[in-house]
Amino acid sequence: MSHHLPSRATLAATLLASVLLGAGAAAAAASAPTLKRTADGHPDFSGVWTNASVTKLTRPPGVAQLTITAAEAQARARSNPMVRNLEADAAPSEVSDRPPSVGDPGGYNGFWLDPGRSYAQVKGEFRTSWIVEPADGQLPFSEAGRERVRQAGAFARRADTPADPEALEPWDRCLIASRGSGGPGMLNNIYNSNYQIVQTPHAVAIVVEMIHDVRTIPLFRGKAAAQAGHGPAVLQPWFGDSTGWWEGDTLVVETLNANAEQGRAGPLFLTPQARVTERFTRAARGEILYEFQVEDATYYARPWRAEMSLTALKDQLFEYACHEGNYALADILHGVRAAEGSARTPR
């Protein structure tokens, strides 16, 4: 039996190719984020995260572009009304400062607020809105949707003189977080824009610091199983009916059957027939790329999509003990009834 040995030229070419391939693989490995993984092999999202930012769901009036430079982001953040109020409130008090006028109890001062002081970076870009589609960064309301939003505004104004507890918004009753903090999708608030994710092979729980909300999302083997795992449409829990599955290293969460009261109150308006698809992907060691798409033919003329960064925090969450729903609600109703009685009393 004869053996044909490779020539020196062949050996050299093979060695060179191996070196080049090895260098390319090493470069790719160096550029890719090192993902912390769970025992079952999936990326580990466990930890405490925040989306506190000057960036909001929709783009500010007069701002056309989605991305801005670092210098523009810094300048716009300094001129943001919330940031300016925080800086003014942090200044030493003056002797001439007076309490609010009679009948006006005032609101939170800057000590209690933590809205973020900079624009968010998403995919390495400073963003002026979470919404990326449509291109104008605005919610694409249909005419029917605009009418529903007008009705929601009228409901909120009636809450100034509530006839009963149900006349107040869900967050006034300490039922869910305000300004869409709980999701889906999860929006930043004026403070407590923080989340803790607890992950197991069979479920993911997202603890929302604002109010006390917890989203528990069961995980399935694939999309078809997850979609079959939704409950009946007649059940409309707070934060909707969410199921999840893995697509490679991305956690996908689909939510149906949104709670009608939550969807009416906004700011992310939804009917129970809506579909919200969220995607969680580890973008870096301390960052999650969080995306969500909303489909609701009643409110919106077309599906729309948003992108956001969740940034790792070393801090822990604290209990948000919301007592307004336990104590202040009765006082609010007593106060309104007393004011109505005083107006009926002849002077």
Side-chain angles (χ1 to χ4, degrees):
M1 182 181 294
S2 63
H3 297 277
H4 296 282
L5 298 177
S7 67
R8 291 184 179 180
T10 302
L11 286 171
T14 302
L15 178 61
L16 178 60
S18 299
V19 170
L20 291 175
L21 287 172
S31 63
T34 303
L35 297 180
K36 180 182 177 183
R37 294 185 181 273
T38 58
D40 58 347
H42 294 298
D44 190 355
F45 295 106
S46 299
V48 179
W49 307 87
T50 184
N51 59 4
S53 174
V54 172
T55 305
K56 302 300 179 186
L57 178 63
T58 57
R59 204 160 303 155
V63 179
Q65 67 273 28
L66 172 64
T67 63
I68 52 178
T69 66
E72 288 174 321
Q74 187 176 29
R76 288 184 181 275
R78 282 199 304 266
S79 63
N80 181 274
M82 180 70 77
V83 174
R84 293 175 65 179
N85 288 341
L86 288 175
E87 293 173 348
D89 205 46
S93 299
E94 299 291 339
V95 177
S96 60
D97 287 350
R98 293 289 184 269
S101 59
V102 175
D104 179 7
Y108 296 119
N109 59 20
F111 176 83
W112 303 102
L113 303 181
D114 184 25
R117 294 174 179 258
S118 62
Y119 277 86
Q121 282 188 281
V122 182
K123 297 180 177 178
E125 302 172 330
F126 287 97
R127 297 285 181 88
T128 58
S129 66
W130 302 134
I131 292 180
V132 294
E133 297 174 11
D136 64 359
Q138 304 301 319
L139 292 168
F141 287 118
S142 63
E143 192 51 46
R146 292 185 191 280
E147 177 57 30
R148 282 175 172 253
V149 173
R150 284 192 287 268
Q151 293 172 5
F155 183 98
R157 287 190 294 274
R158 289 197 298 272
D160 292 339
T161 55
D164 49 48
E166 288 72 25
L168 293 161
E169 297 289 15
W171 41 85
D172 293 324
R173 290 178 275 158
C174 295
L175 298 175
I176 59 171
S178 61
R179 299 175 178 86
S181 294
M186 303 184 300
L187 305 181
N188 44 325
N189 214 312
I190 58 175
Y191 60 97
N192 286 14
S193 299
N194 306 317
Y195 306 85
Q196 182 172 4
I197 299 178
V198 180
Q199 181 177 341
T200 76
H202 305 293
V204 169
I206 303 176
V207 182
V208 186
E209 186 173 28
M210 194 66 163
I211 296 289
H212 51 237
D213 305 327
V214 181
R215 296 179 63 194
T216 302
I217 304 162
L219 301 181
F220 293 81
R221 289 187 177 275
K223 180 178 181 179
Q227 291 182 327
H230 286 295
V234 69
L235 299 179
Q236 299 171 8
W238 296 116
F239 317 114
D241 172 10
S242 298
T243 60
W245 68 92
W246 290 96
E247 291 183 358
D249 283 342
T250 295
L251 172 64
V252 184
V253 177
E254 180 183 79
T255 301
L256 305 178
N257 307 326
N259 180 275
E261 178 70 1
Q262 179 181 351
R264 175 206 58 77
L268 204 163
F269 299 93
L270 299 170
T271 63
Q273 291 73 44
R275 181 191 309 272
V276 182
T277 306
E278 301 164 278
R279 303 177 70 87
F280 298 78
T281 308
R282 288 300 295 264
R285 189 182 299 273
E287 180 183 344
I288 295 174
L289 173 62
Y290 172 56
E291 309 165 85
F292 60 92
Q293 176 173 289
V294 176
E295 302 168 78
D296 190 333
T298 299
Y299 270 108
Y300 307 107
R302 51 163 290 184
W304 57 273
R305 193 172 67 84
E307 296 177 345
M308 177 188 297
S309 291
L310 302 178
T311 306
L313 286 178
K314 295 181 180 179
D315 302 321
Q316 61 180 339
L317 297 192
F318 289 89
E319 179 190 7
Y320 187 104
C322 182
H323 293 295
E324 287 89 340
N326 296 332
Y327 304 108
L329 185 56
D331 293 336
I332 290 170
L333 296 176
H334 280 305
V336 173
R337 300 293 83 79
E340 292 171 347
S342 177
R344 290 193 296 266
T345 302
R347 295 187 179 181

